[in-house]
């Protein structure tokens, strides 16, 4: 197959990670106090997901033969 | 199709009933954005792959071209349906760490066995499906029996997943999305799965299962982290589980996996060690992981023999660690219940008992703010849809190759087969939707179907075991052995009850009650043991009484003693199935000892 699954997967998780990061830094702190024990889980986990997506994109790059 | 009753239980829990305080998830724009992006990618992958599908082998077998790691994640992703994510969390609450038996005894040994010993026959025989292997090894009637029962089971399993998803979405989102009723949920989930399977075939299903796997891991890991932090870490959770166990009259039973398995009455599963090890660990587990085409199909898509053999063994590594992701939420819920106050808001059943089947939605509502809630809900929907897609791809392959091409149109061209595969995908999803509505209207019919599936599945492994490792077994022996095993299971069910005070009927005892178990799980495990023994003995006796219908030349590549052993010496140690399998089994033993 000519489509490397890591390319769409990396792209998807990079986009989701960026969305969560942006939301994490712009949303009211109150939503974290009410839900995630006061932890800004969107920003923290968004960063992890963005890193995972970027790593997948790195692995999917075409190697020069 | 493993432990399918959990799916029905999950579905029943999500249904509006006489219980109290349902769980409502309030989504914001960011949550909808994450859901929409995920579904766009799912459909996009199918669309992109469409241009690469030229032959029926591309459509049904991924052209046998995929690397081991993709097949392995597809192998485990196809099994990550609703019963895994929601059902295992419920079991974690009901049984504690003992639920890990479904993994460390009920999956890993069988996954290693199929990789080392059985994949050489499935992959090496060039069979395109498990029923086709039965045709090569035994005869046409054994193949058709297996293909028909498997096709019916897969399409109904897909329907049950569809039904459970529709009920769950309807119960948790209908307040924030008024137009999201049961019919919309059925249509939406069916159309998404239809588009990406219709366009991209098995490769699209496997690629999406890989993404769904990571989505579920990334979506549920923070849930476990926040939950553990809330109950005082691992030690805090264990202390609270200890108090809960004492209150239930089974001290320590929720925090140990084997220590209380000496007697069926001393653990919450109601099963003793022999029934567990033989019924779940051998008959049911090997019967599912070693013969179910739903998962075997992923390994058969691998690019070479070594990759096909490593597929289930690589899949066993995340499978071994999955209890941390799917069982811990249930144990955290129990710790939160023990904590008291408004720590967790779980709905109750009409009978007034806490409904643990809704543990995951309850924890999502408690711990995830907007944003993460969208990710968690996407992961939950992905798990339901991967279960549906796995069943549909297995159904369209078995129907097209084993029933259509074999019985209806033997002269079909390759493009005819692809056309039939796509048509079967549409029909399969329509039947699934019909099954979902049947489950909604007549839950007893679905209970009955699940029971029949249990009768048919229980003896399967005996026929495969004898077929692969005893060259004298014959087509007549296998076919009538399977029928004998099925009848044995029915008779056993008719003579036993799952618990004292249970009414006779669909739960058992319809012939006459000779024995009463401590739980329905114990009854199922022992029924499987009896079915296996019935099939095994009948297959041996009938095979010895009938003439061998295959020559040694015909059986080469299909039977262990007549097949040259695969040499792995040239591969690196980590690429040798036997070495990998030994490491996985050793790790599993260590986990069993740690949580003894």
């Amino acid at each position: 197959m000519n489509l490397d699954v890591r390319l769409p997967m990396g792209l998807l998780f990079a986009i989701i990670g960026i969305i969560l990061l942006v939301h994490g830094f712009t949303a009211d702190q109150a939503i974290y106090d009410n839900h995630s024990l006061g932890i800004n889980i969107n920003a923290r986990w968004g960063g992890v997901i963005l890193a995972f997506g970027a790593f997948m994109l790195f692995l999917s790059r075409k190697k020069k033969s | 199709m493993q432990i399918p009753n959990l799916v029905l239980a999950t579905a029943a829990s999500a249904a509006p009933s006489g219980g109290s305080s349902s769980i409502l998830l309030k989504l914001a724009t960011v949550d909808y954005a994450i859901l929409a992006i995920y579904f766009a990618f799912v459909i996009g992958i199918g669309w992109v792959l469409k241009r690469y599908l030229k032959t029926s082998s591309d459509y049904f077998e991924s052209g046998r071209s995929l690397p081991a790691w993709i097949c392995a994640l597809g192998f485990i992703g196809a099994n990550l349906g609703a019963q895994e994510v929601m059902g295992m969390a419920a079991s974690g609450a009901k049984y504690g760490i003992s639920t890990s038996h479904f993994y460390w005894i009920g999956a890993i040994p069988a996954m290693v066995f199929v990789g080392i010993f059985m994949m050489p026959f499935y992959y090496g025989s060039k069979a395109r499906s498990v029923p086709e292997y039965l045709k090569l090894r035994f005869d046409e009637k054994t193949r058709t029996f297996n293909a028909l029962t498997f096709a019916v089971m897969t399409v109904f399993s897909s329907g049950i997943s569809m039904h459970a998803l529709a009920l769950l979405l309807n119960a948790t989102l209908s307040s924030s999305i008024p137009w999201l009723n049961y019919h919309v949920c059925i249509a939406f989930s069916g159309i998404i799965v239809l588009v990406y399977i219709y366009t991209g075939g098995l490769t699209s299903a496997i690629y999406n299962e890989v993404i769904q796997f990571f989505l579920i891991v990334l979506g549920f890991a923070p849930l476990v982290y926040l939950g553990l932090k809330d109950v005082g870490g691992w030690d805090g959770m264990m202390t609270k589980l200890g108090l809960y166990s004492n209150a239930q009259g089974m001290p320590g039973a929720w925090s140990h996996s084997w220590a209380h398995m000496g007697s069926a009455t001393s653990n919450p599963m109601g099963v003793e060690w022999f029934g567990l090890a033989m019924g779940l660990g051998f008959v049911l587990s090997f019967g599912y992981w070693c013969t179910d085409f739903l998962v075997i199909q992923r390994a058969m898509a691998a690019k070479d023999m070594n990759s096909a053999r490593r597929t289930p063994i690589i899949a066993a590594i995340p499978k071994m660690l999955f209890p941390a992701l799917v069982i811990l939420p249930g144990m955290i819920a129990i710790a939160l219940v023990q904590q008291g106050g408004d720590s967790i808001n779980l709905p109750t059943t009409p009978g007034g008992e806490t409904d643990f089947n809704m543990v995951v939605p309850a924890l999502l509502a408690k711990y995830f703010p907007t944003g993460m809630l969208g990710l968690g809900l996407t992961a939950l929907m992905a798990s339901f849809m991967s279960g549906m897609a796995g069943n549909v791809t297995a159904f369209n392959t078995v129907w097209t190759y084993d029933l259509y091409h074999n019985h209806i149109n033997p002269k079909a061209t390759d493009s005819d087969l692809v056309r039939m595969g796509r048509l079967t995908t549409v029909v399969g999803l329509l039947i699934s939707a019909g099954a979902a509505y049947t489950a909604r209207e007549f839950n007893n019919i679905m209970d009955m179907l699940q029971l029949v599936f249990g009768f048919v599945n229980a003896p399967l492994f005996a026929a495969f075991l004898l077929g692969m490792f005893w060259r004298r077994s014959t087509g007549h022996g296998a076919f009538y052995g399977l029928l004998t095993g099925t009848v044995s299971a029915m008779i056993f069910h008719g003579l036993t009850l799952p618990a004292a005070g249970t009414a006779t009927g669909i739960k058992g005892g319809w012939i006459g009650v000779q024995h009463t178990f401590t739980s329905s799980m114990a009854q199922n495990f022992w029924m499987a043991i009896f079915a296996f023994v019935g099939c095994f003995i009948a297959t041996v006796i009938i095979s010895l009484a009938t003439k061998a219908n295959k020559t040694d030349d015909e059986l080469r590549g299909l039977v262990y003693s007549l097949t040259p052993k695969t040499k792995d010496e040239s591969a690196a140690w980590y690429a040798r199935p036997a070495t990998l399998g030994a490491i996985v089994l050793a790790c599993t033993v260590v986990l069993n000892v740690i949580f003894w």
Side-chain angles (χ1 to χ4, degrees):
Chain A
M1 286 295 158
N2 293 323
L3 175 68
D4 185 337
V5 69
R6 291 172 293 195
L7 177 64
M9 182 159 69
L11 208 52
L12 172 66
F13 284 114
I15 292 170
I16 290 175
I18 290 167
I19 289 173
L20 286 173
L21 261 177
V22 171
H23 188 265
F25 286 120
T26 54
D28 191 337
Q29 174 64 27
I31 69 165
Y32 306 115
D33 295 334
N34 292 336
H35 283 282
S36 47
L37 312 177
I39 298 167
N40 186 343
I41 194 77
N42 282 352
R44 283 194 193 184
W45 202 245
V48 171
I49 291 173
L50 175 58
F52 175 75
F55 180 59
M56 284 294 136
L57 285 172
F58 172 74
L59 291 178
S60 72
R61 75 202 189 287
K62 296 282 183 195
K63 292 186 180 69
K64 286 176 185 169
S65 52
Chain B
M1 267 154 287
Q2 197 182 30
I3 42 172
N5 288 334
L6 285 173
V7 187
L8 283 175
T10 304
S13 298
S17 66
S20 70
S21 64
S22 60
I23 294 154
L24 299 175
L25 302 176
K26 291 188 172 62
L27 301 186
T29 308
V30 66
D31 302 312
Y32 292 121
I34 290 171
L35 276 165
I37 289 165
Y38 168 69
F39 289 122
F41 267 82
V42 163
I43 289 171
I45 285 171
W47 198 255
V48 171
L49 286 171
K50 187 170 185 255
R51 75 182 69 167
Y52 301 120
L53 302 183
K54 308 288 185 205
T55 66
S56 65
S57 174
D58 292 338
Y59 190 80
F60 296 110
E61 304 173 276
S62 298
R64 290 197 165 197
S65 63
L66 300 180
W69 75 271
I70 290 181
C71 292
L73 292 180
F75 191 96
I76 195 171
N79 181 253
L80 262 178
Q83 72 268 40
E84 188 90 359
V85 175
M86 289 190 56
M88 284 299 171
S91 297
K94 288 179 200 163
Y95 313 128
I97 285 184
S98 298
T99 310
S100 63
H101 291 312
F102 286 103
Y103 293 80
W104 300 336
I105 287 293
I108 305 298
M111 291 166 85
V112 171
F113 184 84
V114 72
I116 293 175
F117 294 107
M118 293 177 78
M119 280 317 298
F121 306 123
Y122 285 137
Y123 194 86
S125 67
K126 303 287 183 202
R128 298 166 299 182
S129 68
V130 167
E132 189 167 27
Y133 170 81
L134 288 176
K135 150 80 177 167
L136 295 171
R137 174 60 188 87
F138 292 121
D139 56 16
E140 189 55 61
K141 63 180 180 297
T142 310
R143 171 211 214 166
T144 303
F145 176 70
N146 182 251
L148 273 174
T149 52
F150 180 79
V152 172
M153 281 190 280
T154 48
V155 84
F156 272 93
S157 294
S158 170
I160 290 168
S161 280
M162 200 182 258
H163 170 62
L165 175 62
L167 284 179
L168 179 72
L169 293 181
N170 198 25
T172 55
L173 296 177
S174 57
S175 64
S176 51
I177 315 173
W179 50 266
L180 191 73
N181 59 31
Y182 184 86
H183 313 293
V184 172
C185 294
I186 291 282
F188 178 74
S189 59
I191 287 169
I192 295 281
V193 171
L194 171 66
V195 170
Y196 79 78
I197 301 294
Y198 186 94
T199 52
L202 179 64
T203 310
S204 179
I206 291 176
Y207 276 22
N208 276 303
E209 281 156 5
V210 172
I211 291 178
Q212 284 155 353
F213 169 82
F214 284 112
L215 194 61
I216 289 164
V217 171
L218 291 169
F220 286 98
L223 196 67
V224 173
Y225 166 73
L226 290 169
L228 271 179
K229 192 176 169 64
D230 198 15
V231 297
W234 180 264
D235 291 339
M237 183 180 74
M238 282 298 157
T239 303
K240 292 179 178 74
L241 284 177
L243 294 171
Y244 184 81
S245 304
N246 293 342
Q248 303 300 311
M250 296 177 183
W254 263 257
S255 45
H256 292 276
S257 63
W258 284 101
H260 300 269
M261 285 289 159
S263 151
T265 53
S266 60
N267 65 77
M269 289 173 85
V271 181
E272 86 301 347
W273 70 271
F274 185 82
L276 178 82
M278 286 303 293
L280 173 66
F282 181 61
V283 180
L284 289 173
S285 158
F286 280 68
Y288 174 76
W289 293 102
C290 300
T291 73
D292 196 311
F293 184 52
L294 169 67
V295 286
I296 298 294
Q297 185 177 28
R298 274 71 193 150
M300 289 166 86
K303 63 183 179 182
D304 55 38
M305 174 66 88
N306 182 273
S307 299
R309 295 180 70 201
R310 280 187 297 137
T311 289
I313 302 172
I314 294 172
I317 298 168
K319 185 77 179 172
M320 185 166 43
L321 303 173
F322 247 69
L325 216 54
V326 296
I327 296 175
L328 266 182
M331 294 165 65
I332 288 166
I334 287 292
L336 288 168
V337 167
Q338 192 62 35
Q339 207 161 278
D342 59 351
S343 296
I344 188 166
N345 179 26
L346 283 170
T348 54
T349 63
E353 295 175 352
T354 304
D355 187 358
F356 290 118
N357 288 305
M358 295 302 273
V359 157
V360 170
L363 291 179
L364 284 178
K366 178 177 172 61
Y367 290 124
F368 277 5
T370 53
M372 282 302 294
L373 188 59
L375 181 69
L377 189 64
T378 305
L380 202 56
M381 289 183 71
S383 76
F384 280 87
M385 284 169 44
S386 69
M388 285 165 59
N391 279 302
V392 169
T393 49
F395 171 75
N396 71 22
T397 305
V398 166
W399 170 266
T400 304
Y401 280 148
D402 294 293
L403 298 170
Y404 171 75
H405 195 201
N406 194 39
H407 292 289
I408 300 169
N409 184 6
K411 292 179 180 172
T413 63
D414 200 65
S415 56
D416 287 340
L417 294 178
V418 175
R419 231 186 334 267
M420 178 50 67
R422 291 202 158 116
L423 178 63
T424 308
T425 302
V426 177
V427 172
L429 279 160
L430 286 173
I431 298 172
S432 297
Y437 279 101
T438 305
R440 187 191 190 206
E441 298 299 326
F442 311 102
N443 218 12
N444 285 343
I445 288 179
M446 299 311 279
D447 284 344
M448 181 68 84
L449 273 172
Q450 296 290 334
L451 189 62
V452 173
F453 294 167
F455 294 156
V456 173
N457 276 338
L460 262 182
F461 184 60
F464 279 84
L465 192 67
L466 287 167
M468 287 185 175
F469 297 97
W470 187 44
R471 65 175 164 177
R472 184 64 185 81
S473 58
T474 65
H476 289 315
F479 180 74
Y480 292 107
L482 283 172
L483 290 182
T484 305
T486 300
V487 172
S488 302
M490 291 171 70
I491 292 172
F492 182 86
H493 184 261
L495 294 173
T496 59
L497 274 180
T502 310
T504 56
I506 199 160
K507 300 290 184 190
W510 41 272
I511 296 174
V513 181
Q514 298 298 312
H515 182 79
T516 301
F517 287 95
T518 45
S519 69
S520 58
M521 201 180 288
Q523 184 193 33
N524 284 336
F525 291 171
W526 278 99
M527 184 175 86
I529 293 169
F530 270 74
F532 177 89
V533 171
C535 178
F536 193 95
I537 292 171
T539 302
V540 169
I541 291 171
I542 296 167
S543 292
L544 291 174
T546 52
K547 199 177 167 186
N549 60 329
K550 300 274 184 184
T551 64
D552 281 0
D553 275 345
E554 289 174 305
L555 292 178
R556 227 171 287 285
L558 303 170
V559 177
Y560 189 78
S561 61
L562 296 171
T563 304
K565 303 298 167 283
T566 311
K567 298 276 190 290
D568 297 310
E569 280 78 13
S570 58
W573 67 268
Y574 54 82
R576 292 179 198 164
T579 309
L580 266 180
I583 293 169
V584 167
L585 286 178
C587 292
T588 308
V589 170
V590 169
L591 284 169
N592 273 297
V593 171
I594 290 173
F595 295 100
W596 187 269

